[in-house]
Structure formats: C-alpha cells, structure tokens
Amino acid sequence: MSQGDAITTSHSDGTEKRHDSTTNILSDVPPQTEDVKSSSSKKKRSTYRHTFPVHTKTLPSPLSKEAPPESYRGFVNLGMLLLFGNNIRLIIENYQKYGFLLSIPGSNVSKQDWILAGLTHAILPLHVIVAYQLEQWASRKAKGFRKRLADQKENPTTKDDEDKKAVPAGDKVRGGKKDKKNLTLEEQIKENRKTVGWLHFANVSLILGWPSFMSYFVIFHPFLAMGCLMTSLILFLKMVSFALVNQDLRYAYIQDTPATEQSSPHLTKVHNDTITTTNTTSDGATTTTTLTTTTTVVKTITVKKDAEKHGGAYQYEVHYPQNITPGNIGYFYLAPTLCYQPSYPRSTVFRPSFFFKRVLEIVTCLGMMYFLIEQYATPTLQNSVRAFDELAFGRLLERVLKLSTTSVIIWLLMFYTFFHAFFNALAEVLYFGDRRFYLSWWNATSVGMYWKTWNSPVYTFFKRHVYLPMITSGHSALTASVVIFTISALLHEVLIGIPTKMIYGYAFAGMFFQIPLIALTAPLEKWRGTGSGLGNMIFWVSFTILGQPACALLYYYHWTKRSMNA
C-alpha cells in the first residue's frame, strides 16, 4: 500500500469508514477534548515521548563509601529473620537430641547447702551494725576533738598548756613511741583516725573472709556459693566506701572545714566526668553524644536537688555527724550504689506500674536464663569434655562457637535483669534518683570504653576511692589503672575460683590481661575514630564470642574432672 492510499474499515452494518494512512499514531497534536467526549469508543492517544534524560548527574552506588548515609533497615530485618529461623532450627535439633531437660529450679541442691547459704546471708547485716556502732563511737570522739580545737583557737595559751602537759620536761619516749597520755591534741586525732581505720579494716575483712570460708569448705553447690560471695562482695565495697567517706567527713568536722573544700582539687573530676558515645540513627547517620554526670537526668523523675542548683556539684542535705544514724546506713545498705553519701538525689513519686513492669521483667528473664542454661548450655559443656581430653582443637573451637550463641544471650539477659530491671525496681521503692547504672556499652569501640560504661556502680567506686586518690597523690594514670585491674582480677578470682573450688587463676588472668588488650585497641580507636565499627566488632568477638565461652569451658572441664576423681 502506498503512502497516499486510504484505509477503509467495514462495519457490521455494511457501512465503511475511511481512514487516511498519513495520520500518525504518535502525532504531536493531542486529541481534542470534544472528540474524546464525543465517543467513548475512540482510543485515547498518549503524548508520551521516550526522549527525556534520566542520567543527569554523577552519583555513587548506595553501598559505596562515598555514598550519602543510607538506611539498612531491610538488611536488619533479614538478619533478624535469619537469626529467628536458625534458632528455631536449633530448638528443634536440641529437642530431638536431648528431649526436655528442665527440672524444678533448686531441686538438685541439697538441703544442707540451702541452710548454710541462708545462714551466711543472715550474718552479713551484722557487719553493717558493727560499722554503724564504730562510726557512732568515732563521731562522739570527733565532737570532743572539735570542741578542744575550737578552745585552742579562741585561747592560744590553752594549746601551749596542753603541749606542756602532753610532753613533760624530761619525759622519755618508751619503745620509740610516746605514751598515749602524753600525746598532743593533733597526735591524738591522728591516733584515733588510725584506730578507727584498723577497726573498719577488720570488719570489712570478715565480710569477705567468712563467706569465702563457707563457700570453699562447706557449701558444695557452686551457684549457691557464688551467690553468697556476690552478696558479701557488694557489702564489702559498700562498707569500704562508708568507712573512707566518713573518715574524711569526720576529719573535716574536727577541723571545722567544709568537706567540699578538702576535696576541691578533684571534685570537678568526679562530677564533670564525660564519656563520649556514638549512636547510629535509623537513617544510618552517626551521632556523637557526650554524657556528663551532672546533667544526666532520669526522665519523669523529679529530683529535689540537682547539680545545676549548686554550681555543678550536688550538695549534701545531711551533714556529719547527723548522717550517723541507723536509717542513714540502712538506706545505703539497700540502695543500688556502691558509693556512700550522707544524702542522695531523691525522686518524689512512686510509680506502681513502672515497678511491677520491672518485677515482671525480672521473673521472665530469670526463667529464660534458667531455660537456656539447662536446655542448651549444659549439653554443650558436657559434649566438650572428650574434646578436651583428646586435645581436638577443631572440635574445641566448634564447641566454643556453639556455646557463644547461648552464652551471649544469657549474658545479655543477666545484664538486663540486674542492671536495668532489678536496680530500677529497687530505686523506685527507695526513691533513689540517680539511675545511671550503665551507659551505652554496646556501642563501645574499644575494650577501655566498655569497662567505663557497662557497670557504672563499680566504675564509679574505683574511680572515687582508688583512681583519683592515686592520681592526686602523684601516681601516673597507668599505675592507677594497673592497681585497679589487679584488685578487680583478685576479686574475680575470689568470686569464681572459691565457689568452684578451683583457684587456678583463669578469672584473674582474664581480668588482668584486659590491660594489654586495652592498650592494643586504644590506637585503633584513635585511628578509626570513636564511631569505629571495626573496634566495636573486635570488642564483641574478643569479649563475648570467644572470651566468655572459653572460660566457661575451662571451668566446666576442671569441675567435671575434679568431681570424677572425688
């Protein structure tokens, strides 16, 4: 057909309609509105053209390093689904292999162990009474010293007369020491301070000594013994803080000097401690947050007095010696903190719904921990004994990696149970205001940052009573850190080695060698920055994926062999 030919279309009624073949389907002239409306049978003609540009500027691929921040929520959802599916498979596999292994909690513990553990816990509050009576006696002595010093300041001749009476002419020193009756007032104050200090030392030593003896020689079940030692260790640190703080308060009271002036060189270091953490938002952007102790406030909690009202440092509402009361030390005994203060920031409202939610979380998490230990961790540990005997390193690595999944979940549940649910429930009952029990340790980009953020009560205790006193005395930061980790390593060995009756040094080594691990990961944080994902992965692998399961396997193997040889 030629270009000028016409096309005719025959209709069923016999009529013909002629179309001009020169009419272009893709005509630049759009159809008229009236033509469209005139007949619904006519086909609508598009004016679309395939000629507009789609590549208009240079852009990187979304997964490239130079690409702008992108949300990876879909990958996170996929990972969660894969993890869920894999865990379902493990549950089915575990049930097919071992069946249902759970029993009534505590049913395998002897009645004697329950009684002895209860007796050990019941004796611990007696040490609190001893510490209170000791400080009450010391406060009475302090009142007398304060009055005598005030008299000396008002009448300087009184001091000269007392000095003459204290050391009469021709009096000789006996055995290299002066007779206590002949000491000057300043010397009497120092002597009294030493006496109170040694009595406190004896008291806190018994706090650890008695439960350690019971846990090693008398109580057989390791978890019950570990519970006794954990409780005694917490009380040990509390009473150390109680003794040290009241020692300084007592001295400031005798000298009629505010305690804050005595501690002014390092007061700002305690209250203005800043920790930088990094967080990744849902759109992939990384934000850096600096947490300051004086500005960290728990939401919905109204605090009576805070740092901003007092120029950056919290001011005590109770002063020495009014703080030496049964109620004061009893509150500290129950409070979720290891650092003693005459008073604390307090909340004003008790929230029943908040409290019961935390209690429900405690019960749920404890049940999940028990299920995971009995149903999953125990069979894995039992199957690792033969691999240890044969020194099959491939199988041992497989056991460690298999146990790591369970141990990480148990450890996270333990953290949430105690540091969030239990501490917040206890704080709600006691109206305890400062609830910064932990910071965002899960974003730690180095081992050092982890130890600063995961356990705020312990970190604050060692910084307040060990690190800063050593720094202000002229010691280096490295020396102070070594001392702190050595003390922590010893306490970990006590907490784990004594209940298991295996003082082999594994727990000590695990804590002490955190020092070189911190030194190795610190340059990485400087090189990659505080938001380094690489540093965060190194922390997770070294601490939770390999470290904890390996220690658990070692202790279980030795426990099994010792039980078989007994």
Side-chain angles (χ1 to χ4, degrees):
M1 181 181 294
S2 63
Q3 186 176 355
D5 294 338
I7 302 174
T8 60
T9 304
S10 298
H11 295 274
S12 59
D13 58 358
T15 62
E16 293 184 350
K17 185 173 182 180
R18 186 174 183 276
H19 297 278
D20 191 355
S21 63
T22 60
T23 304
N24 193 347
I25 296 177
L26 299 178
S27 174
D28 291 337
V29 181
Q32 299 298 321
T33 306
E34 55 270 15
D35 295 338
V36 175
K37 292 180 179 180
S38 63
S39 175
S40 59
S41 63
K42 289 186 177 181
K43 185 176 181 180
K44 182 178 180 180
R45 296 180 179 180
S46 173
T47 61
Y48 177 80
R49 290 293 179 270
H50 299 271
T51 57
F52 72 91
V54 292
H55 302 286
T56 58
K57 56 183 177 180
T58 58
L59 291 172
S61 298
L63 295 179
S64 300
K65 184 177 181 181
E66 59 271 14
E70 188 71 39
S71 174
Y72 301 102
R73 174 61 60 184
F75 286 120
V76 174
N77 293 337
L78 175 62
M80 295 298 292
L81 288 173
L82 290 175
L83 183 63
F84 177 77
N86 188 53
N87 285 331
I88 292 296
R89 182 192 66 81
L90 292 176
I91 291 173
I92 297 173
E93 180 184 356
N94 178 273
Y95 181 76
Q96 290 175 343
K97 281 185 177 181
Y98 309 109
F100 194 70
L101 300 177
L102 294 186
S103 60
I104 299 175
S107 59
N108 59 341
V109 182
S110 66
K111 183 179 179 180
Q112 181 182 1
D113 279 356
W114 282 114
I115 295 174
L116 293 173
L119 178 63
T120 304
H121 280 94
I123 291 176
L124 289 177
L126 297 179
H127 296 281
V128 180
I129 299 175
V130 172
Y132 163 69
Q133 293 293 340
L134 182 56
E135 278 300 326
Q136 193 177 51
W137 169 77
S139 66
R140 289 196 296 266
K141 299 287 289 185
K143 292 177 183 178
F145 291 140
R146 177 187 171 101
K147 185 176 183 303
R148 291 169 62 184
L149 277 177
D151 293 341
Q152 286 186 359
K153 291 179 181 179
E154 292 179 0
N155 187 7
T157 57
T158 306
K159 181 178 184 302
D160 297 334
D161 293 339
E162 286 199 7
D163 290 343
K164 292 178 182 179
K165 292 179 181 179
V167 186
D171 185 54
K172 295 184 178 181
V173 178
R174 300 179 181 177
K177 296 182 180 179
K178 292 181 180 179
D179 190 349
K180 290 185 178 181
K181 296 181 180 179
N182 298 326
L183 295 176
T184 64
L185 182 57
E186 288 78 6
E187 291 171 338
Q188 292 179 31
I189 294 173
K190 291 180 180 179
E191 194 70 23
N192 177 261
R193 186 174 183 174
K194 290 180 181 180
T195 302
V196 175
W198 280 109
L199 290 174
H200 273 300
F201 176 79
N203 185 43
V204 297
S205 298
L206 289 174
I207 293 176
L208 273 185
W210 167 253
S212 297
F213 172 83
M214 296 290 290
S215 299
Y216 192 83
F217 293 103
V218 182
I219 301 175
F220 174 77
H221 199 276
F223 287 111
L224 271 185
M226 194 174 295
C228 294
L229 275 176
M230 177 64 75
T231 307
S232 64
L233 179 58
I234 293 172
L235 184 59
F236 169 82
L237 296 177
K238 279 176 173 282
M239 291 300 101
V240 168
S241 180
F242 180 77
L244 293 175
V245 171
N246 277 295
Q247 174 182 269
D248 288 348
L249 291 176
R250 185 168 59 252
Y251 182 77
Y253 173 77
I254 293 172
Q255 300 295 330
D256 197 14
T257 305
T260 53
E261 292 185 14
Q262 298 285 338
S263 58
S264 58
H266 57 269
L267 183 63
T268 55
K269 294 183 180 179
V270 175
H271 288 280
N272 296 324
D273 179 29
T274 58
I275 297 175
T276 303
T277 59
T278 57
N279 297 285
T280 303
T281 59
S282 58
D283 58 355
T286 301
T287 59
T288 302
T289 305
T290 301
L291 300 176
T292 307
T293 59
T294 54
T295 58
T296 302
V297 181
V298 181
K299 293 181 180 179
T300 71
I301 298 294
T302 304
V303 179
K304 292 181 180 179
K305 289 189 176 183
D306 55 25
E308 296 179 356
K309 294 182 180 180
H310 300 285
Y314 173 78
Q315 299 293 317
Y316 294 146
E317 298 176 0
V318 181
H319 301 284
Y320 189 89
Q322 284 77 25
N323 65 307
I324 309 301
T325 62
N328 187 277
I329 192 174
Y331 183 87
F332 173 60
Y333 172 64
L334 297 174
T337 179
L338 298 177
C339 293
Y340 174 75
Q341 294 180 188
S343 63
Y344 296 91
R346 302 286 291 273
S347 59
T348 57
V349 178
F350 175 76
R351 298 167 293 175
S353 61
F354 178 88
F355 172 75
F356 286 112
K357 284 180 182 178
R358 301 291 82 80
V359 173
L360 181 61
E361 289 172 351
I362 293 171
V363 175
T364 304
C365 290
L366 288 177
M368 294 174 65
M369 289 168 63
Y370 178 74
F371 172 75
L372 290 171
I373 291 173
E374 292 293 326
Q375 190 70 32
Y376 293 94
T378 301
T380 304
L381 291 170
Q382 291 172 346
N383 294 334
S384 65
V385 175
R386 179 177 295 181
F388 264 108
D389 289 333
E390 299 173 356
L391 294 180
F393 294 105
R395 289 183 58 196
L396 283 175
L397 180 60
E398 184 269 336
R399 293 288 95 185
V400 169
L401 293 177
K402 184 174 183 179
L403 184 62
S404 65
T405 304
T406 306
S407 67
V408 167
I409 298 175
I410 293 173
W411 187 75
L412 291 175
L413 286 171
M414 180 276 299
F415 165 79
Y416 189 87
T417 301
F418 292 101
F419 284 86
H420 183 76
F422 177 73
F423 283 173
N424 271 286
L426 184 60
E428 191 70 19
V429 173
L430 297 175
Y431 296 88
F432 190 82
D434 185 4
R435 305 186 184 184
R436 190 203 54 179
F437 307 120
Y438 56 90
L439 298 178
S440 55
W441 56 266
W442 47 87
N443 293 326
T445 55
S446 66
V447 178
M449 181 181 290
Y450 164 76
W451 288 115
K452 292 179 181 178
T453 53
W454 98 277
N455 190 337
S456 291
V458 172
Y459 171 75
T460 307
F461 174 89
F462 278 108
K463 183 171 184 178
R464 186 195 199 195
H465 298 305
V466 181
Y467 184 83
L468 288 177
M470 293 188 67
I471 293 297
T472 54
S473 299
H475 297 280
S476 66
L478 177 60
T479 302
S481 298
V482 171
V483 170
I484 289 174
F485 274 97
T486 302
I487 296 173
S488 181
L490 288 171
L491 294 179
H492 275 77
E493 186 64 30
V494 168
L495 188 61
I496 299 176
I498 290 180
T500 58
K501 286 77 174 174
M502 295 181 294
I503 307 177
Y504 295 154
Y506 296 144
F508 178 88
M511 276 302 303
F512 187 79
F513 285 107
Q514 295 297 311
I515 301 173
L517 192 58
I518 291 173
L520 290 174
T521 56
L524 180 65
E525 185 177 2
K526 294 180 181 178
W527 172 48
R528 301 283 294 184
T530 54
S532 170
L534 179 60
N536 184 256
M537 285 188 289
I538 290 176
F539 150 70
W540 280 112
V541 171
S542 62
F543 191 76
T544 58
I545 306 300
L546 296 178
Q548 290 181 348
C551 286
L553 286 175
L554 282 172
Y555 275 102
Y556 184 83
Y557 174 75
H558 287 292
W559 171 268
T560 303
K561 289 299 180 181
R562 191 181 64 84
S563 300
M564 292 172 61
N565 297 330

